[in-house]
Amino acid sequence: MGIFGTDGVRGIGHVDSVDDPLHSFDSGRLFTKELCSEIVFSASKLADAGAVIIGWDRRPSNLELAKSAIDSLSKTGRKIMVLEETTTPALQYAMLAQEAKLGVMITASHNPSEDTGVKILFENGRKPTVEEESAIENTLFNGTREIGAESEIEHISNKPYIQRIRDMLIDFGRRGMIPDEGFLVDGSGGWISAWLADMISEAGFPCTEVSDRNTAINWNCGASSLSEGVVMGWDECRGSQHSLLRMLKPSPRGSVLGFCFDGGGDRCFLVCSSGDGVCAIGGDGFLRLFSHVCTDEKNFSAALTIESALDVSEGLRGLGIGRVTETGVGDRWLQHALMSDVEADDIVGAEPSGHVVLRH
């Protein structure tokens, strides 16, 4: 039975014990503590020797699932670094900084809050290949676990990642890339909702977070209910249930109005004014913008999926420079394609769902 989807394993969060975790997942989509811990332990046998970093997003069952994942690795001799509530990109950043060999992100990304799951990341934040996923699946609940040395557990901070984002935003501001009139941020009630907008404002650029940390993650907010190229009139926005859209006011065409993330923090849509309303720009739009700035760059590598609009691929290929790769659906395929191109100066991949992938 294949339990991995396009990005990790996802199901309904379930913290009570079940007799047959695999059957419960297959028949009722129950993602249990037993299944989570077994996936993590099996992945640890594939990863190179070294530290593991564990993080999660704000879903009802995730703290219990994280405890089970930590417990499953407690006798492997690996150093366990606990990042606590975070996003997938922040965990990948921590993996690079700490030179960790395994990453465990407990999340269901843009799915509703009752869902959860786990993403497995290997060295440098790399997502698994199909063969690695099969190897994990083939060893689930297969015999007894070998008991090794007691693992050291250390709680680490997201502060280096936050500082890195702050430094980059200040640099963007100095170059005139942040609108003076301010903009909105919709973090889906996830981890970035607690700090990103405040940090941007403190850096001198007016910014407001629109999602509510007191409601369920991804509820009437974020990237999950937006689609590439969607255009809505101002009246339609005012009547929308979407937290960011209903706060927008008529603005001149081209104005940057806000950014919407998903709860896992790895999908992003730019919301801007079309003059008569708003337009949502995802990965295709980002690649169109990229094609305008790389006309003089002979050494770029761009990856897009089979779901991308035809003009995006034609526009990039029409430059007659660089390398353009088309992949299957899912940001891991973009990542794998880009990681194989180590010579290019500018590396970017994106898909319409809002995933944007850089060199790491």
Side-chain angles (χ1 to χ4, degrees):
M1 178 190 73
I3 63 173
F4 280 87
T6 56
D7 191 7
V9 182
R10 300 180 191 178
I12 300 170
H14 189 80
V15 297
D16 294 328
S17 296
V18 296
D19 293 332
D20 189 339
L22 284 175
H23 176 73
S24 296
F25 180 80
D26 188 36
S27 61
R29 292 189 64 246
L30 297 186
F31 188 81
T32 62
K33 292 189 296 184
E34 294 90 348
L35 182 58
C36 181
S37 66
E38 192 69 16
I39 292 170
V40 171
F41 181 77
S42 295
S44 73
K45 294 192 289 186
L46 282 183
D48 293 338
V52 55
I53 298 181
I54 297 177
W56 55 88
D57 66 13
R58 188 181 63 86
R59 294 170 187 269
S61 56
N62 279 5
L63 187 56
E64 288 298 316
L65 293 170
K67 291 178 180 177
S68 69
I70 293 168
D71 184 62
S72 72
L73 299 174
S74 62
K75 301 293 184 181
T76 62
R78 289 182 180 272
K79 183 175 183 179
I80 301 172
M81 298 181 177
V82 183
L83 198 55
E84 300 187 355
E85 187 186 359
T86 189
T87 61
T88 302
L91 188 139
Q92 290 172 305
Y93 181 89
M95 289 185 69
L96 291 168
Q98 300 288 346
E99 299 182 351
K101 303 301 183 182
L102 178 65
V104 176
M105 180 65 189
I106 301 174
T107 178
S109 195
H110 62 281
N111 285 28
S113 63
E114 61 266 22
D115 277 4
T116 191
V118 64
K119 295 181 181 182
I120 297 298
L121 303 161
F122 293 116
E123 187 175 9
N124 293 327
R126 178 182 65 81
K127 297 189 176 184
T129 64
V130 172
E131 292 75 18
E132 287 168 333
E133 289 178 345
S134 295
I136 292 172
E137 291 172 348
N138 291 337
T139 57
L140 295 177
F141 303 102
N142 187 8
T144 58
R145 298 180 184 178
E146 295 181 7
I147 298 177
E150 192 77 26
S151 295
E152 176 189 351
I153 299 177
E154 176 186 358
H155 288 258
I156 61 175
S157 173
N158 278 298
K159 288 182 179 179
Y161 175 79
I162 294 174
Q163 184 61 48
R164 176 63 173 154
I165 297 297
R166 184 180 186 276
D167 292 343
M168 293 174 69
L169 284 166
I170 290 176
D171 180 56
F172 293 158
R174 286 172 180 160
R175 291 189 279 161
M177 298 169 64
I178 298 180
D180 293 334
E181 61 273 21
F183 59 95
L184 304 177
V185 166
D186 180 353
S188 282
W191 175 62
I192 61 174
S193 302
W195 61 269
L196 181 58
D198 288 342
M199 183 195 71
I200 295 171
S201 296
E202 289 167 2
F205 310 105
C207 187
T208 302
E209 170 62 49
V210 302
S211 69
D212 185 355
R213 295 267 293 175
N214 293 318
T215 61
I217 198 169
N218 294 328
W219 178 255
N220 289 337
C221 56
S224 59
S225 56
L226 297 181
S227 299
E228 176 86 52
V230 167
V231 177
M232 299 176 64
W234 298 114
D235 288 340
E236 190 177 359
C237 288
R238 280 192 292 270
S240 172
Q241 291 186 321
H242 192 280
S243 300
L244 186 140
L245 295 180
R246 67 170 175 259
M247 291 182 65
L248 298 178
K249 299 177 181 178
S251 305
R253 177 180 171 85
S255 300
V256 172
L257 304 177
F259 294 88
C260 293
F261 296 85
D262 67 344
D266 61 355
R267 290 177 60 178
C268 180
F269 282 91
L270 161 65
V271 179
C272 64
S273 171
S274 64
D276 298 327
V278 303
C279 180
I281 297 177
D284 279 358
F286 292 141
L287 287 178
R288 291 187 185 101
L289 293 171
F290 176 74
S291 70
H292 288 300
V293 301
C294 69
T295 53
D296 297 326
E297 176 57 70
K298 292 183 170 59
N299 195 22
F300 75 84
S301 180
L304 64 162
T305 76
I306 56 175
E307 288 189 335
S308 292
L310 184 60
D311 75 280
V312 177
S313 174
E314 291 180 341
L316 289 166
R317 296 182 195 278
L319 295 174
I321 54 177
R323 174 177 178 246
V324 181
T325 306
E326 189 175 75
T327 76
V329 177
D331 61 319
R332 68 164 169 174
W333 302 119
L334 300 174
Q335 186 194 50
H336 291 174
L338 297 173
M339 290 179 80
S340 66
D341 195 339
V342 296
E343 300 297 329
D345 296 324
D346 290 322
I347 293 182
V348 63
E351 58 179 347
S353 63
H355 287 119
V356 178
V357 179
L358 303 178
R359 184 181 297 271
H360 291 298

